[in-house]
Each structure stands twice: as structure tokens, then as C-alpha cells.
Amino acid sequence: MKKYEAIIGLEVHAQMLTDTKIFCGCSTKFGSEPNTQTCPVCTGMPGVLPVLNRKALEFAIRTGLAMNCKIAPYSRFARKNYFYPDLPKGYQISQYELPICEHGYIEIVVDGEKKRIGITRIHMEEDAGKNIHEGDHSLVDLNRTGVPLMEIVSEPDIRSPKEAVEYMKKLRTILRYIGVCDGNMEQGSLRCDANVSVRPVGQEEFGTKVEVKNINSFKFVERALDYEIKRQIKVLEEGGTLVQETRLWDSGAGVTLSMRTKEEAHDYRYFPEPDLVPVTVDEKWTEDIRATLPELPDAKRERFISEYGLPEYDADLLTSERALADWYEEAVKSGGQPKAVSNWMMGELMRLLNEANASIEDCPVKPAQLAGMLKLIDKGTISGKIAKTVFEEMYKTGKDAETIVNEKGLVQITDENAILKTVDEVLASNPKEVERYKNGEEKLIGFFVGQVMKLTKGKANPKAVNELLRKRLKEQ
Amino acid sequence: MELYRLGISELKELLDKKEVSPKEVLDSLFKRIDAVEDKVKAFVTVTRDKAYEMAAKNTDGVLSGIPLAIKDNICTKGIRTTCSSKILENFIPPYESTVTSRLLEAGYVLVGKTNLDEFAMGSSTENSGFFPTRNPWDLERIPGGSSGGSAAAVAADECIGALGSDTGGSIRQPASLCGVVGLKPTYGRVSRYGLVAFASSLDQIGTITKSVKDAALLMNVISGHDPLDSTSAPVAAPDFTEVLSKDIKGIKIGVPKEYFIEGMDKEVESAVKDAIKTLESLGAIPVEVSLPHTGYAIATYYILATSEASSNLARYDGVKYGFRAEGKDLIDMYMQTRAKGFGSEVKRRIMLGTYALSAGYYEAYYKKAQQVRTLIKKDFEEAFKQVDIIATPTAPEAAFRFGEKTDDPLKMYLSDIFTISVNLAGVPGISVPCGFTSNNLPVGLQLIGKHFDEATILNVAHAYEQSTEWHRRKPEL
């Protein structure tokens, strides 16, 4: 059997986080009553004209800059013509020949290897509405009509479903970092179509390309591509030929199904949109926008490694969300030891957030509070074990660690005499174990420590307990 | 004299001095409409009640109490706007166009919405989905088009002035054929917001009036940048009435040789040549110029205009508003709705445009036409290096008879041969009455200006008008 490799390019639609639509002043809020966020412009009344939302243009430029694109000083809108009830004008205003951004790239890491994925272009367009089918009739909701979208088209640089997932994740991270898209695939604010082909390893030319549509979650990116690649290889292996077509991912059945072939493809009759003047962007504005860009995930990750001495794994995770990274840095700035802060965030904090299905933005514990708790551990006021209980309480109540420790009397017992008293108690009530220890079963030390900790409700300093136990056992 | 006979500036004087009331004006005007509208059929909708309501408001705007007619492809909130198409027969816009908003602020009174060739596609108003409008000078003849309703209403004194729209001559040609003044401003001078689009890169709203001064008065109200139309130019508009009476001595008038061709109507030719002589006697200097790409204008126009139209008219699909035919499924509903809702000329142009934009033809048609359009624009730029304005006939012949050209679209398209280049170049043009044929049919002189220089063509047109009597003649009805 020949070895095949997959060639994948992704077309990602990202809904921009502007307050208003791209060509009118209607709200872009999600989930309102149908047709309550519409006006003559977005419902395609006779005689209306579009006016470009400057914020949408700024967001597109922002995205282009974050993805290393060239920003076109002159670009223009075009009409994509087709009939559908959710498209009130009978055409979608998009960009075609002259998009706002071109020739960029982003970097992904797969199996420890860095890889650059080219961005062919980013263009602006308006979203369509939504058809709702009910029994023998259909209804149209135009609230979403005119919501600004960016279409981000990658080069066919992706070679596996895994790379595709990493690409999507990185794209999402960048979009969220720069505040242009919330990246929510389930709500449809990030949508993905894939161009997939396979070819025998070593072959130069690309194979026949198939477009897979309707991939609307991260989980499905991998599954849909996996399925499609296997399907294509199977066709070739069985001596068949692939047809250029558009296929639809059916997430229920876990298969892609043919939607239309090349012959049935639409002729969209693109032509320059005469109702909008060409978009001109001067260099000064581009530079002003560049100056407002935050530190991007790759740069932040590198800095976390060099500045805080974090392992790659920690740096990756902590920089996957801007808010998470900010939280981390604030905790470190408040005096938390960098690796300790990272451990606590990736461990306890993430666990509690996940359990509550909350994001870091809603975290009841403030970064300085975590740093405060870590100081208590350092000073020996509480043990690492007690700290877990304290942290949970902090998460529940929002109180400082110190307050909780005092209120609950959780201060660690470091007084040797007090510990010694308990140690003696434990040894006295477990004569058999003492005997066995003396006969060489040294691992029983763990048992004794456990007993002491139990009696002191975990407040005894574990190090002191250990030392005192060994000392007493030797003396006996 | 009857009040309905007056133009805007004359009536404004009487109203301002309170010598007549807006109600008296309307009483006179509706008496006239009642008397002649059955013959002329200029209106799709007469807004009698609305007019009295508006007239009672008595504002201090510059057009307070002035009754105007609006072409029925300009949206008026709450008032049916049909584009003379069955597909919009019952369409009531939920919003006001920018031009009528500005007229409202100025206190105008709406008398009615005027007939047009369906979606402004035509040169005779015979393509109206409802009925043809007749030329007040000869009821057996067409009034021109597509703003035939507005031009006929002004000529028949059924309104004091009117707005039209001009994509390839749709204001100037009917103005010429009806013996009134028609101004197509520079593309971008007047907001298109609320003008139902035919060909977006060519459409422009303008005025149809009884005098040049009235055109200037209306232009003062409707001109200027509109944030709702990004193709409206952020160029300050002057007071167009101020420049009217300037001396035209020394103004250079270009006479393009391509516009005086063999086979053109002799009476039209001599009327226009006489007009140029009159201008010369007023001190203007005629200079022969060349607009070498004129011969490509019609072909270029019919590719670009129909391409844009095929897309602009896609929204009439029976889903949201307007006419809907029942169908067995979605596609069938689309097809039945558009087959029954559109007239044959509209369908012809949608098909032409769809073809021109199709994959494989785009380069040869649309793209090529855009390139030729640039050449035509350059023709004007070159000519305007030598002259201040250009003078031509507005239309190759006077009003023709009903049915004379309906069987031959190409023949009909040639009616706009002298006006189309102006739209392609985006420059302003005005048609003023400059004589009559032996059949007593009006002939128009077209004056073309530089971009955003309506002032100079209005100035020259006014000077010409002041020294002639053509505009004072009235049709007998």
C-alpha cells in the first residue's frame, strides 16, 4: 500500500466583536427575538445603501497585523450574487479581487516542532440571516444579516488533522487576544470550511480538492478531516478517481456527504460593489492600530519561558488565553514565586474553574490573594496540604488566605514540644507497628506520619513530624 | 394668471409675501390635475390629502408650500413607491429618502408620485408596468423617459417642479421632449439614499423644472454630502442661485464633432446650432472639440448598467415585500414571482447583465466595458482642458409616437445616444428648451459641465433662457 499525505487548507469565518453591523447601525447582539435587530439597510429594502462600519475595518486590519499580513492601502468590496431567503439583497457584500489583508502567516507547534502556516488572505464580508424551517413552511430571521465577518484563508500548508486543530486553536487564541472575535465555535462566531486533498508521498502535484463544509466545533475539525482523508485514500486505493466537489460534514453520522459537484457549483458573478467607495488605508492609521496590539501569544510564551523560567508546557498553557496570562503575571508581580504560581494555577485553580464551568475572568480569587497564600506556605504558616483546603475556601468565599487560616485555626504547628506529645501518643498506641519498624520495616514511617497528621488535623509541620518520629523511634 | 402655471421662484415670491396661501395654490393645482391628468397620465399616485396636510404645516423653509412631484422610484415614507413595477405595486417604504427628507425640512408639499419606465429602464415611459404617460405637446406621442411622468407633469403644469432620476439620460431626454428644464447633477452631488437602484454607478437624482432658476433653487436643497450614501461626495455645494446671472462673456463652449452626425434630425440639428449662435451672441466662444470614444458609449453603458441592474434587482424575490407568486417550492416561487412581477424590458436587462457577469464572459464584457468607461471619462477631461462647458443636442429627435420603437430595443436605446456618455463620465448635464419642430414639438439643448461644476452650466443655461422665449411656451391641453 502506498503512503499518502493530506494537503489541507482552511477557510475560517470569524464573527467580529463590533457593537453594530458592518453596513448599518443595528446591534449585533446574539440571541434576541427574531427580526428585532434589523433596519431598512440590513433587510435589503429598495433604495437603501451600505455604509462601511469603520470599527469592522479596524478589526480586520488588527487581525491582519497580528497574523503578519500586508495591509492593502487600496482594497474594495464586491458583490457575490446568489438567491437564498436568508440573503435579503440577493447578493452578499464581500471582498474578492482586492482583499484588505494578504500574505501573512501564523506559527503552530505540533509534537514539539514549530511550523509556519501561511495566511493567503483575510477579507471582510457581511453575514447572512438564518432560515428556520417549521413543518411545511420556513421563516427567516434577519438579526444576523450584516453582522461583520472576516474570512481568513490559509495556504494549503496543513498536513494532518492534528495540525489543523492546532492551527484553529492558534487562530482562535490570536483572535481572542486582540479582541476581535470571541472564538465561540458552538455559537457560530467561528466557523470552518476545509479544502482537503491527498497525494502519494513524494508526488509534487496536488490531488483533487474537496471542500468540506459545516465543521462547527474543534472536536469535529479533527474528526471530519480524519474521515475525509481516509475516504479519499480508500477511493484511490480501490482504483477509483476523486471528483472535485463540496461535501457536508454530518456530525451525527460522523461522515461527509456530497453536496454539489464542480459542474453544479454556483457562478457567483462577482463584480465590484458600486455602492461603496474603495477602501483606502493610510500607513499612519495602520501604524496607529499596530501600536495598540497587545503582546501576542507567541511572544508572550517566549517571554514566560525566559523571564519566569517556566517549562514550555506551563508557558503554553498559561498564554493560551490573554486573561489567564494576565492573571498569572499579576500573581507573580504580587510576590508569588513564578513556578509555584504556575503550579497552583494549572492545578487547583483550573480544577475549581472547570468544576464551576467558569472562566478566569469570573475567578473569585484575585491574583494577589494566591500570592498571599503562597507566602504563608513559604513562611511555614501553613503546609502545602492545608493550603489546598485554604485555597478551596478562598475560592468559595473570596476571602484572603490569612483570614481563613486565622478563622479556622489552620496555623501549622511547628512547636516541637507540642508535636512530640502527639508523636509519643501515636507510638504508644501502636506498639506492634513500632516493633515491625524496628525489625526493618522502615516504610512504616509513612503510617506514623499519617497518624500524627490525622491527630493534628493536618496542622503539624510534616518536616518536623518526620524528624521527630525518626528520632523517637531510634531512642526506643 | 392661474397659480398652477407658475414656477418655483415665482410662486415662492407670492407665498413669501403672503399674497397667496399654500391652500390656494393646491386648490388651483388640483383643479388643473383634475382637468388634464386623464389625458396626460403623469402620476402613479396623486397624494391629494397628504398634500393638504403638508401645506397646512406652514414652515419657514425655503420651499414652504411649494407643490412638487416625485418620481416613483424615490422612497417616500408611508407613501406607496412602485417604480412603476407590478413587483412593487403595493410597496410602502418604511423610510424616507435623503432627498425627500431634505425637501420635507424645506417645507415642500408632495402632490404625487410620477410614472416611469419600470425601474427607470426605458426612454419613453412605455415600459411602465401600469400605463404609458403621454406627451402634453402631442398626446399621441411619448414624453420620453424614464422620468416621463415627472417631465410631463411639469410641462402640463400638474406640479410646480419635480424630481427625477437619470441613469443614461432619464431626466434630460424627457425634459427635452416635453420642453422643460432637466438637470442631472454630477455623480455624487446628490445622495442616492432612497433612490431605488437601477445602475448604482450611474444613477443620479436631479430636477425637472419650468426654469433654470427653479433648478438652482431645488439643487440648493437636495445637494451635498450624505453620511448614508458613501458615494455622495464630501464636496461643499455652492449657492446655485447666486451664480445664475453672471456674465457669460468669454466662456468657451465646446461643440463635439461626434455629436453632429449625418442622418440626425435636421430640425433638431438646426435648433441646437441656432442655440449655440445665440450663446455666441451673448459673448460665449464656440470651440470644436472631440470626444473620440463616443461611438462606444451605448455598448459600454448597456453592459455596465445591465450588469449592475441584474444584481440590484435580485432583492425582488417574493420573500420579504412586494409581489409574491405561489410556487411549488422555493425555486419555483422565485421564478414565478419574477416572471410575473417584472415586465419584458426589465427581464431583458436582467438577462443581459447576468450574462455579462457570468464566469468566462466577465473579462470580455464587464471588465472591458469598465476600461472603455475610463476612456470616455478621459475624453471629457481632455475636452475640458480646452473649454468650460460642452453643448450638444439632448436627444437625436423630438418626441416619437407610441409603439414606434417598442419592437426594436436597439432603436429605443439610441434615444439616449447624446446623454449616456455624461453618466459614464459622471459629469453634470442640463437640458433646456431651444426650439420647436415644425410639428410643434420641443427640442432640447444639452449643456455639459466639469465635475461638480453645475454652477457654470446653470449660469450659461440661465443666460440662454433669459434671451429666448422657448421656455415660456405652454402646450395646449
Side-chain angles (χ1 to χ4, degrees), chain B residues 30-84:
Chain B
F30 282 116
K31 216 175 83 196
R32 174 67 173 175
I33 290 175
D34 290 340
V36 303
E37 174 59 9
D38 276 353
K39 298 180 202 166
V40 180
K41 302 192 73 77
F43 290 96
V44 174
T45 307
V46 174
T47 52
R48 193 182 300 252
D49 295 345
K50 180 81 189 168
Y52 278 103
E53 204 182 287
M54 290 166 88
K57 274 186 192 149
N58 235 343
T59 68
D60 54 3
V62 291
L63 295 175
S64 185
I66 306 282
L68 302 176
I70 306 292
K71 190 177 181 181
D72 209 22
N73 62 348
I74 296 172
C75 285
T76 41
K77 187 175 178 177
I79 296 161
R80 190 168 76 121
T81 300
T82 67
C83 296
S84 290

Side-chain angles (χ1 to χ4, degrees), chain A residues 159-194:
Chain A
R159 290 289 171 272
S160 69
K162 206 166 156 190
E163 284 185 15
V165 171
E166 287 309 313
Y167 170 80
M168 281 300 288
K169 279 189 181 159
K170 182 48 94 46
L171 208 67
R172 179 177 182 273
T173 302
I174 295 173
L175 293 172
R176 287 174 56 86
Y177 255 66
I178 60 176
V180 298
C181 173
D182 66 20
N184 190 328
M185 279 193 97
E186 279 68 28
Q187 271 181 17
S189 39
L190 200 64
R191 289 167 240 163
C192 171
D193 299 334

Side-chain angles (χ1 to χ4, degrees), chain A residues 80-95:
Chain A
K80 178 178 179 176
N81 295 285
Y82 66 94
F83 284 92
Y84 207 57
D86 70 6
L87 191 70
K89 298 190 296 298
Y91 57 85
Q92 178 195 31
I93 304 178
S94 180
Q95 293 193 294

Side-chain angles (χ1 to χ4, degrees), chain B residues 197-219:
Chain B
F198 157 20
S200 314
S201 75
L202 299 157
D203 295 341
Q204 185 64 190
I205 292 172
T207 61
I208 297 178
T209 53
K210 298 178 185 178
S211 72
V212 175
K213 189 174 179 191
D214 286 2
L217 274 168
L218 281 185
M219 279 297 286

Side-chain angles (χ1 to χ4, degrees), chain A residues 44-47 79 81 88 91 267, chain B residues 95 194 311-312 315 320-321 359:
Chain A
M45 286 285 164
R79 290 188 187 175
N81 295 285
Y91 57 85
D267 178 357
Chain B
Y95 76 102
S311 174
N312 281 332
R315 68 189 63 199
K320 308 157 294 276
Y321 46 72

Side-chain angles (χ1 to χ4, degrees), chain B residues 194-270:
Chain B
L195 168 66
V196 179
F198 157 20
S200 314
S201 75
L202 299 157
D203 295 341
Q204 185 64 190
I205 292 172
T207 61
I208 297 178
T209 53
K210 298 178 185 178
S211 72
V212 175
K213 189 174 179 191
D214 286 2
L217 274 168
L218 281 185
M219 279 297 286
N220 277 355
V221 176
I222 63 172
S223 297
H225 178 66
D226 174 14
L228 297 177
D229 175 2
S230 33
T231 65
S232 75
V235 176
D239 181 342
F240 292 105
T241 55
E242 259 179 21
V243 294
L244 287 180
S245 308
K246 265 175 41 186
D247 197 342
I248 65 162
K249 204 166 275 166
I251 280 192
K252 285 188 186 154
I253 299 179
V255 183
K257 57 183 181 201
E258 293 84 359
Y259 282 62
F260 294 88
I261 39 174
E262 218 162 298
M264 76 183 290
D265 187 287
K266 289 292 158 211
E267 289 184 306
V268 169
E269 184 178 6
S270 70

Side-chain angles (χ1 to χ4, degrees), chain A residues 80-138:
Chain A
K80 178 178 179 176
N81 295 285
Y82 66 94
F83 284 92
Y84 207 57
D86 70 6
L87 191 70
K89 298 190 296 298
Y91 57 85
Q92 178 195 31
I93 304 178
S94 180
Q95 293 193 294
Y96 187 56
E97 285 175 320
L98 299 167
I100 182 73
C101 311
E102 280 185 291
H103 311 303
Y105 65 87
I106 63 174
E107 279 178 349
I108 58 170
V109 178
V110 180
D111 301 328
E113 296 249 340
K114 216 183 254 181
K115 182 170 177 178
R116 191 175 273 199
I117 307 292
I119 304 286
T120 314
R121 57 185 276 156
I122 301 173
H123 72 244
M124 298 173 274
E125 61 185 28
E126 57 179 341
D127 208 344
K130 211 166 71 182
N131 291 344
I132 301 157
H133 305 289
E134 285 183 353
D136 66 341
H137 64 277
S138 297

